[in-house]
């Protein structure tokens, strides 16, 4: 039965995607000397904020998430960032695949607040894997096996990679969330006055 291991090698902004995505290059290896026909891979991506140090400016910007730094021992916990999935094609020994993770610039989302608060360095991430492995038996029959829940990988995402992605999709701009009635009033004003941009409105 296949015994898969996972290594996250790098991350890059997705080229020409309809919305902001990071593509994580994932190395998948099988400890057993047998073919794998396919893997239906699922992944939970978590941010591990306690896995790095923060300067004074970062501490100030992170108060919205974790409160005063003196309380971070109680408030700073691992945060779910995203769920993603990808199909891994057949391989023997080792293969690699790009695993997309959708991102948002909505400042009501904790992950956005966290990444934006970091001045530089790296963001510590955990990738928790699950899914289904398809492989042939010695007689050639299709076999199915789950990926054990303990399979995971660590990765330190360069903050500048996240910033570069957001600059591609939202150059020199940020999202501001408004109540629906406020947005409707602003939208009506923008159309009535013939204004070209939301900033002008």
């Amino acid at each position: 039965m296949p015994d898969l291991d996972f290594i996250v090698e790098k991350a890059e902004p997705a080229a020409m995607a309809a919305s902001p995505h990071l593509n994580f290059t994932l190395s998948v290896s099988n400890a057993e000397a047998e073919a794998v026909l396919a893997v239906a891979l699922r992944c939970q991506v978590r941010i591990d904020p306690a896995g790095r140090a923060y300067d004074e400016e970062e501490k100030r910007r992170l108060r919205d998430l974790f409160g005063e730094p003196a309380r971070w021992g109680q408030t700073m916990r691992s945060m779910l960032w995203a769920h993603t999935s990808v199909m891994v094609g057949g391989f023997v020994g080792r293969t690699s695949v790009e695993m997309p993770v959708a991102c948002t610039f909505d400042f009501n989302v904790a992950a956005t607040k966290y990444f934006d608060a970091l001045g530089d360095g790296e963001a510590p991430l955990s990738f928790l894997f699950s899914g289904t492995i398809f492989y042939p038996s010695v007689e050639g029959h299709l076999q199915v096996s789950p990926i054990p829940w303990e399979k995971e990988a660590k990765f330190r995402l360069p903050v500048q990679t996240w910033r570069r992605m957001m600059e591609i999709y939202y150059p020199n701009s940020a999202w501001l969330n408004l109540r629906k009635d406020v947005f409707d009033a602003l939208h009506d004003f923008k159309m009535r006055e013939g204004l070209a941009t939301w900033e002008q409105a």
Side-chain angles (χ1 to χ4, degrees), residues 8-14 21-25 45-48 51-52 54 58 81-82 99 101-104 111-112 114-116 118-127 153-166:
V8 182
E9 297 181 333
K10 64 178 182 178
E12 292 292 338
H21 279 72
L22 284 174
N23 280 336
F24 289 86
T25 301
V45 187
R46 302 189 68 86
I47 300 170
D48 298 322
R52 60 161 282 168
Y54 302 92
E58 290 169 337
W81 178 18
M99 186 174 65
V101 172
C103 304
T104 178
T112 301
Y114 178 76
F115 289 125
D116 187 69
L118 304 183
D120 210 342
E122 300 168 329
L125 305 177
S126 292
F127 293 75
K154 301 288 187 181
F155 181 71
R156 300 186 71 84
L157 173 67
V159 174
Q160 291 307 317
T161 299
W162 185 85
R163 294 194 182 283
R164 181 157 48 91
M165 174 196 60
M166 287 306 177

Side-chain angles (χ1 to χ4, degrees), residues 81-92:
W81 178 18
H83 289 280
T84 187
S85 60
V86 67
M87 285 299 300
V88 181
F91 69 95
V92 176

Side-chain angles (χ1 to χ4, degrees), residues 19-42:
S19 61
H21 279 72
L22 284 174
N23 280 336
F24 289 86
T25 301
L26 185 65
S27 172
V28 185
S29 60
N30 183 11
E32 304 298 326
E34 59 186 317
V36 172
L37 300 177
V39 182
L41 186 64
R42 297 187 300 273

